[in-house]
Amino acid sequence: MRPAFAVGLVFAGCCSNVIFLELLARKHPGCGNIVTFAQFLFIAVEGFLFEADLGRKHPAIPIRYYAIMVTMFFTVSVVNNYALNLNIAMPLHMIFRSGSLIANMILGIIILKKRYSVFKYASIALVSVGIFICTFMSAKQVTSQSSSSENDGFQAFAWWFLGIGALTFALLMSARMGIFQETLYKQFGKHYKEALFYNHALPLPGFIFLASDIYDHAVLFNNSELYQVPVVGVIVPIMWFYLLMNVITQYVCIRGVFILTTECASLTVTLVVTLRKFVSLIFSILYFQNPFTWWHWLGTLFVFIGTLMYTEVWNTLGATKGQPQKEAKKS
């Protein structure tokens, strides 16, 4: 029952989270910092109350290790959200972040000296080609949709190129954080709830450097149109409602993934997260009418097929089907 519940949380929380993030970014593309701050603050307060026991519970993993992990996590979160302010459309944002397998493999080879099968290299090549197609087609759209002025077109493309660089950096940093987290769990054991709390609580002082931008967007949010919240009937500026729903759904999403990692194999988690990304992508394209050509669809297909190939889902499913037959023969 818990795995099914976790899958429901992942799809409901993560998919709706993307919707509210896009509603925020469409109105104010530069709101990434206030969104990140709100998410971190909410999860930190919840963790302080229920996981850290109001600060009375000592961490199982030393704080100095969390400080390193937190630096990477904070950087990845801020850069990923800020990329939406750099001419990066939400569908490309989702597709690009699906390329985490590439970053994990590259850093795994360099840092952990891992070696992979030819099948896995082929799957990563497929993901790389898919991301390249989507990125290349998005680059053409950026230049064609910008002003007829050559300077404006170049400026739009330059910001887009900077956004791609930011996403690439965040992808590699996230993979490095995953490797560091893996080594910590091997040494001290798995403490997901604790890690979730410290990863969100320790970076909070870092938002002081982003305070002016956060305040400016808080003012913009206050001046947005009023909205009556269903059921409750309270009237609030609509941007604050979007932000509140984004924070709540982010928490539901994270909790769902957490339960899934404790109840299911890593293959199941990868499949659920991959399918969730695909559903979010489809919804973003259809509901928000984001430009998406057949080339984009081809690139997306390559990314998701490559991801499934990497997890060797077909071999696993084949083995699962073969088990009942073997047991029947034995009996």
Side-chain angles (χ1 to χ4, degrees), residues 53-167:
D53 192 22
L54 300 176
R56 291 191 291 265
K57 182 180 177 182
H58 293 287
I61 300 175
I63 293 292
R64 65 179 182 275
Y65 293 114
Y66 276 125
I68 299 171
M69 191 191 304
V70 157
T71 302
M72 292 187 280
F73 183 69
F74 176 75
T75 305
V76 168
S77 299
V78 171
V79 171
N80 267 330
N81 281 338
Y82 191 75
L84 293 170
N85 194 34
L86 300 172
N87 271 351
I88 300 295
M90 185 62 76
L92 179 61
H93 193 271
M94 286 186 281
I95 293 168
F96 212 91
R97 291 179 68 181
S98 297
S100 56
L101 288 175
I102 303 172
N104 288 335
M105 176 176 277
I106 292 172
L107 294 187
I109 293 171
I110 296 172
I111 298 173
L112 301 178
K113 309 300 180 185
K114 287 185 176 181
R115 292 294 177 265
Y116 300 90
S117 65
V118 176
F119 190 76
K120 287 191 181 292
Y121 284 121
S123 67
I124 290 300
L126 200 60
V127 172
S128 303
V129 171
I131 291 177
F132 174 78
I133 292 173
C134 291
T135 305
F136 181 74
M137 295 309 296
S138 296
K140 292 179 67 177
Q141 286 179 345
V142 167
T143 53
S144 64
Q145 289 175 359
S146 56
S147 173
S148 57
S149 168
E150 188 174 332
N151 289 333
D152 289 344
F154 176 77
Q155 187 178 29
F157 179 78
W159 282 114
W160 174 89
F161 190 75
L162 185 61
I164 292 297
L167 287 177

Side-chain angles (χ1 to χ4, degrees), residues 151-199:
N151 289 333
D152 289 344
F154 176 77
Q155 187 178 29
F157 179 78
W159 282 114
W160 174 89
F161 190 75
L162 185 61
I164 292 297
L167 287 177
T168 304
F169 170 78
L171 205 62
L172 292 170
M173 180 67 79
S174 179
R176 181 65 186 92
M177 183 182 73
I179 292 173
F180 181 72
Q181 201 168 14
E182 187 179 329
T183 56
L184 283 184
Y185 288 160
K186 284 181 180 178
Q187 184 177 354
F188 299 101
K190 294 183 178 182
H191 303 278
Y192 293 110
K193 288 183 179 180
E194 179 183 290
L196 187 66
F197 165 63
Y198 283 104
N199 278 343

Side-chain angles (χ1 to χ4, degrees), residues 2 6 11 23 35-36 64 76 85 91 95 108 115 125 151 183 202 205 208 273 287 311-312:
R2 276 177 66 87
F11 273 89
L23 287 170
V35 171
T36 308
R64 65 179 182 275
V76 168
N85 194 34
I95 293 168
R115 292 294 177 265
N151 289 333
T183 56
L202 292 181
I208 293 175
V273 171
Y287 184 78
T311 59
E312 298 180 347

